[in-house]
Amino acid sequence: MTGSAMRAVTLDNGVERPILGFGVYQIPSEQTEQAVPEALAAGYRLLDTAAAYRNEGAAGRAIKNSGKLWISDTGEENARRAFDEITPAANQIETHPFFQRTQYQRLRVERGVQIGSWGPFDEGRNNLFTHPVLSDIAQAHGRSVAQVVLRRLIQRDVVVIPKSAHADRMAENFDVFDLELTDDQLSRTAGPDTGHSSFLDHRDPAMAGRVGNLRLTD
Ligand SMILES: NC(=O)c1ccc[n+]([C@@H]2O[C@H](COP(=O)([O-])OP(=O)(O)OC[C@H]3O[C@@H](n4cnc5c(N)ncnc54)[C@H](OP(=O)(O)O)[C@@H]3O)[C@@H](O)[C@H]2O)c1
């Protein structure tokens, strides 16, 4: 494990989870079986997968084969109990430099809902990795734009789950715990926010209808 120690957040239900994890969306199944052990070797202990990513089985097999199965809160009964809870303990939303959603942060204070970021790099859209402000801050620390993007979310206490299919980038993305952005740098990172999604608007009825009708067998 590189960098200083991993930070954890404690959810409202008392569960502790690492503030930095690994996402496997859009990694093909065969590659997921290789990527997951690489991510575990880099130090990740929070993995984000879902049936809709169509690689959940591969991720599960890779975790099982790694001998690092530490999760106890699985199974239908536990899942049902979680659904019965009125307020979710965590909410994963699109969050990146072009859609920062800082207003959601107050949910953490007011309702104890931990915010998690998906798409922290905006999947590379908007030339994120060469953005002038982010590049300038990265250069000041001798780090990469990816590390600055992840670090600013962690300094905002947002859980973040970057995806990479490359072992060197997995390690780079994990190596952010000895990086500290200054208040001035954090304010400058607010600049690129457009206030709208780069992907889809969940409040658009047509889009909600399409998403609601998606079936895993499609
Ligand atoms: N809850 C939801 O609705 C939802 C929706 C979408 C995603 N997610 C979760 O969030 C995770 C992350 O979001 P995402 O996969 O959409 O996109 P992302 O993490 O914003 O971006 C991934 C892209 O960035 C590249 N990348 C990663 N590290 C890099 C680095 N250090 N330098 C340069 N390029 C780098 C990756 O390329 P390579 O792979 O080639 O390295 C890939 O093209 C997903 O995998 C999934 O687990 C959840």
Side-chain angles (χ1 to χ4, degrees):
M1 202 182 292
T2 41
S4 305
M6 162 65 72
R7 258 186 57 197
V9 292
T10 305
L11 303 182
D12 209 38
N13 58 10
V15 170
E16 254 200 15
R17 66 159 50 168
I19 198 161
L20 175 66
F22 181 69
V24 299
Y25 180 48
Q26 296 183 104
I27 305 184
S29 264
E30 323 78 66
Q31 226 181 324
T32 301
E33 291 208 43
Q34 182 188 326
V36 167
E38 285 173 347
L40 292 170
Y44 295 87
R45 291 295 180 270
L46 168 67
L47 298 175
D48 178 75
T49 185
Y53 301 172
R54 296 169 195 269
N55 55 13
E56 200 178 32
R61 280 191 299 281
I63 294 169
K64 195 172 170 194
N65 292 338
S66 75
K68 288 186 166 44
L69 192 59
W70 65 96
I71 304 162
S72 56
D73 246 359
T74 56
E76 198 179 328
E77 221 12 76
N78 285 322
R80 190 170 294 126
R81 241 197 344 263
F83 279 119
D84 282 345
E85 285 179 16
I86 294 164
T87 307
N91 188 14
Q92 202 184 98
I93 53 175
E94 176 192 345
T95 318
H96 49 72
F98 305 109
F99 191 33
Q100 302 195 6
R101 315 187 88 174
T102 44
Q103 75 278 22
Y104 281 75
Q105 208 99 26
R106 73 169 193 273
L107 283 175
R108 191 165 172 268
V109 179
E110 291 171 5
R111 306 244 175 158
V113 181
Q114 173 65 50
I115 300 303
S117 152
W118 64 258
F121 302 136
D122 199 8
E123 292 185 354
R125 288 174 169 81
N126 295 303
N127 296 321
L128 176 138
F129 294 110
T130 53
H131 188 279
V133 172
L134 301 173
S135 300
D136 191 50
I137 296 170
Q139 220 169 9
H141 288 278
R143 307 299 285 257
S144 67
V145 165
Q147 289 173 320
V148 167
V149 167
L150 297 175
R151 186 62 206 182
R152 64 172 286 287
L153 284 164
I154 289 170
Q155 283 184 228
R156 275 178 52 199
D157 293 324
V158 173
V159 171
V160 61
I161 46 167
K163 170 260 177 184
S164 175
H166 296 96
D168 55 341
R169 289 179 175 170
M170 291 175 199
E172 174 188 329
N173 296 344
F174 196 78
D175 184 18
V176 292
F177 292 96
D178 59 355
L179 168 64
E180 190 70 24
L181 305 179
T182 64
D183 288 345
D184 176 57
Q185 288 168 337
L186 287 174
S187 323
R188 288 171 62 208
T189 60
D193 195 3
T194 63
H196 58 78
S197 167
S198 301
F199 294 79
L200 47 89
D201 181 358
H202 288 98
R203 293 176 197 178
D204 168 14
M207 176 57 71
R210 277 201 296 280
V211 172
N213 286 326
L214 279 179
R215 295 291 175 271
L216 287 177
T217 48
D218 286 351

